[in-house]
Amino acid sequence: MAIKKRYFAAAILAITLIGATCFVTIKNKNRVQYVTQGVDRCTITQYVEASGTINPVNTFSVGSTVSGLINAIYVDYNSEVTKGQLLAEIDPRTFQANVQQQQAQINNAEANLARMNAVTVMSKKTLDRYRNLYKKNFIARSELDQAESDYLANLAQVNAARAQIAQFRASYKTAQTNLEYTKIIAPVSGTIISRKIDVGQPVAASFQAPELFTIAQDLTKMQIEVNVSEADIGKVKEGQLVKYTLDGYQDRTFEGKVSQVRLASTTTSNVVTYPVIVSVENTDNILKPGMTANVSIITEKADDVMCIPNIALKFTPDTTGQKYKTQGIWILNDKKKPERINIESGISDDSMTEVISDSIAVGDKVITGIKGKGQGKGNSNKRPMRMF
């Protein structure tokens, strides 16, 4: 009988322990468990991202103002040239013949002027002689008038001959200038980055000067022209630091500065953009004209500030839909209960936000979520524990 009582007492104790364990387990399972993350110090940077093309700061288009066949080319792509250097030459024979023709017309006009001067001198002498004869009543008044008319006519022809000489000399200068234009000269020192002609190719400059070469004046100084949307252009200012990458150098990050924010807008598919010029250095000649740059313009930066994850600003344990007038975050107090504190937020990036508050410090835990929330009730089909 004593043995049966001991077995019965042991069974009662086992059932009690199992029941207590199940109660604690169910109670812990029903308790809300929060996901937290520590307040830290970090550097937050805001970017405006865009893409653009690298080009030299100063480029010069070299063209031709005269038409003709390309007779010779003395430079090629990537050639280093100096100001005044001969780049190419148009066949000069037609222009040389025109210069000679204009010179011959000048010579002819000068000879005609000399003849008219001699005729005028003779008519002046005749006029003087007729005046003396008229004073002595040896000739009629009509003869004196005729002599005066002849002199004035010859004098006018002299002036006309002088004007014609001036006209021919102007035409000669134009012909001489056109002859000089057959030599294509570099206007600046730099590098040939484009050549659009070949020997024997005709150049037609009737309506506009065709472009023959493009010279980059200084390839050590380049610029990136990027198009920034109207939603972000207000953040972009001259002097801001720019970081950019190139597809050809994916393991490197380059730097530049915003040098100009242009006012000329462009609308494409109802999207308004503004050109922003970024100045970059190219002392090692890595950058090539036409490269595509992926640009990040640093519009704002905060170093070593207290920060929290962005998700903490969106979390709230309230299910009543209560609205708060001030911005705040939730922390776990000493009783492990969520408590809301007011904060001021500074700048933010994709993951972190600067927080300004005396109520929290680095190392404090902010609530970012609830464990298991949204995972469904996957235990509804499990068989219940059997109680004895």
Side-chain angles (χ1 to χ4, degrees), residues 176-251:
Q176 188 68 36
T177 301
N178 289 336
L179 176 60
E180 294 174 358
Y181 283 157
T182 60
K183 298 181 182 297
I184 310 301
I185 305 297
V188 294
S189 299
T191 305
I192 301 292
I193 61 175
S194 173
R195 192 198 81 183
K196 299 181 179 179
I197 54 170
D198 292 305
V199 174
Q201 179 178 340
V203 174
S206 303
F207 300 101
Q208 61 180 4
E211 182 180 286
L212 307 181
F213 301 95
T214 301
I215 299 177
Q217 189 173 16
D218 186 4
L219 288 179
T220 62
K221 297 185 183 299
M222 308 283 276
Q223 67 181 21
I224 309 172
E225 182 174 341
V226 297
N227 293 320
V228 178
S229 67
E230 60 178 331
D232 296 324
I233 194 63
K235 306 174 187 176
V236 181
K237 303 289 186 297
E238 292 184 7
Q240 288 175 337
L241 181 65
V242 175
K243 294 182 181 293
Y244 65 97
T245 58
L246 304 172
D247 293 339
Y249 303 94
Q250 297 183 1
D251 57 338

Side-chain angles (χ1 to χ4, degrees), residues 69 101 115 119 182 225 241 332 334:
L69 295 176
Q101 180 181 1
R115 182 182 66 82
V119 172
T182 60
E225 182 174 341
L241 181 65
L332 288 178
D334 296 337

Side-chain angles (χ1 to χ4, degrees), residues 73-95:
I73 298 176
Y74 304 106
V75 294
D76 203 349
Y77 290 95
N78 302 335
S79 296
E80 297 289 335
V81 298
T82 57
K83 183 178 181 180
Q85 180 178 337
L86 182 62
L87 306 180
E89 190 173 4
I90 295 175
D91 189 353
R93 290 175 295 180
T94 301
F95 302 94

